[in-house]
Amino acid sequence: MDYLKAIDERISRRTYLDTPVEPNKIKTLNDSINKYNQEAELAMELIPDGSKAFNGLRKSYGMFKNVRTIIVLKGKKEDADLKEKLGQYGELLVLEATGMGLGTCWVAGTFDRNNGVLNVGDKEELVCVITVGNIAAEQTFKEKLVRGMTHRKTKAAEELYKSDVPAPQWLLTGIHAVQKAPSAVNLQPVKFEFRNGILTANVEEERYLTDLGIAKVHFTLAAGGNFELGNHGEYHN
Ligand SMILES: Cc1cc2nc3c(=O)[nH]c(=O)nc-3n(C[C@H](O)[C@H](O)[C@H](O)COP(=O)(O)O)c2cc1C
């Protein structure tokens, strides 16, 4: 799996073809989901036909077409790192789907828990869903319009990090991959700070912790190494 190629190619796609995702692609995604759930104690679940669940999604309804397959990102309510971990593992799934030629979009918002499709336990929290589907090579006019509304410009690299020395190349490599990461309402809220030889990543508000997980995984896929979990978590290479 060429994650860097997927980072370069990925954009949010909200209009899908009216055909189901092929079974072998569903299986590949399910294999990853099972592996990540075990590794990180999550409860992510792929629903091959989640269109009914999507009708209960108030905020984003209307911007999407032919939603069928969804990945429900959920886990234990008591897990302090839940949002960040779902950001990290959800984005790996997004990139893997991108690598298989599928379109994806992260969706936060209000869910109807009683629609009989979403299966969220009492002790679980549903954080986001990811829509996955077959896409046309070219975006439709409507998709371009929606993208124009939701996608303000990409922040310059210098807006995403602070450094007390001239930024080393590995830091810039990581930041360039972060520039291509999806974020809720394209806020790009994650800041990287390199001081006294230590790199940390942070967000100002808790509600951006999913974006933190996404940004960290883009960084490490490009620059190597890994980040400790948590807001202001340290990077080790
Ligand atoms: C956590 C999260 C939540 C999002 N929620 C929505 C949503 O509810 N509706 C929507 O249309 N797009 C949503 N998006 C997609 C963003 O609008 C999109 O990632 C951003 O505009 C950047 O565009 P790009 O993904 O095409 O690079 C979400 C993205 C993230 C990371």
Side-chain angles (χ1 to χ4, degrees):
M1 168 68 214
D2 188 344
Y3 286 101
L4 296 183
K5 185 162 175 266
I7 285 177
D8 278 341
E9 288 175 356
R10 186 215 60 85
I11 57 167
S12 292
R13 296 292 299 261
R14 299 174 178 84
T15 294
Y16 303 103
L17 303 177
D18 189 17
T19 51
V21 176
E22 290 163 41
N24 64 326
K25 295 183 179 174
I26 297 269
K27 181 178 180 310
T28 304
L29 287 171
N30 264 327
D31 288 346
S32 287
I33 288 171
N34 291 336
K35 183 171 139 222
Y36 298 153
N37 279 346
Q38 272 200 336
E39 199 171 297
E41 290 192 66
L42 296 170
M44 301 186 292
E45 184 183 353
L46 183 148
I47 303 184
D49 189 356
S51 48
K52 209 166 136 203
F54 219 71
N55 295 339
L57 185 76
R58 272 163 269 173
K59 277 186 201 157
S60 303
Y61 187 66
M63 285 162 76
F64 289 79
K65 195 168 172 213
N66 291 335
V67 173
R68 187 190 300 251
T69 298
I70 60 175
I71 300 174
V72 183
L73 302 186
K74 57 192 169 103
K76 289 188 200 133
K77 259 186 209 162
E78 62 183 29
D79 184 344
D81 297 314
L82 182 65
K83 290 197 177 79
E84 184 184 339
K85 287 198 299 194
L86 289 171
Q88 178 187 343
Y89 287 98
E91 183 63 6
L92 285 176
L93 294 170
V94 158
L95 295 173
E96 289 162 19
T98 306
M100 290 189 271
L102 298 168
T104 61
C105 189
W106 280 83
V107 190
T110 312
F111 298 88
D112 177 4
R113 281 159 190 264
N114 301 318
N115 53 38
V117 177
L118 294 183
N119 173 15
V120 186
D122 283 351
K123 293 186 175 161
E124 286 181 342
E125 182 179 343
L126 187 167
V127 172
C128 275
V129 302
I130 295 167
T131 55
V132 182
N134 296 321
I135 43 170
E138 290 290 318
Q139 294 185 82
T140 61
F141 175 72
K142 184 183 158 195
E143 273 189 289
K144 285 186 183 154
L145 204 71
V146 171
R147 188 172 165 78
M149 274 162 23
T150 54
H151 189 116
R152 296 189 305 271
K153 73 180 196 14
T154 302
K155 285 186 179 169
E158 296 69 36
E159 293 177 77
L160 300 178
Y161 75 88
K162 286 191 183 125
S163 174
D164 59 4
V165 291
Q169 188 53 48
W170 59 266
L171 176 57
L172 294 176
T173 300
I175 292 293
H176 289 147
V178 171
Q179 285 179 294
K180 295 170 191 156
S183 61
V185 288
N186 199 29
L187 206 61
Q188 303 156 78
V190 184
K191 298 277 185 300
F192 291 77
E193 294 189 16
F194 188 48
R195 291 188 203 289
N196 303 319
I198 295 172
L199 177 69
T200 57
N202 73 84
V203 287
E204 276 179 17
E205 292 179 42
E206 283 224 335
R207 62 191 162 123
Y208 303 134
L209 286 171
T210 308
D211 297 315
L212 179 67
I214 296 173
K216 280 180 178 174
V217 85
H218 271 236
F219 190 100
T220 52
L221 284 170
N226 56 68
F227 268 98
E228 287 172 5
L229 278 173
N231 204 6
H232 299 277
E234 282 185 20
Y235 173 75
H236 303 283
N237 55 4

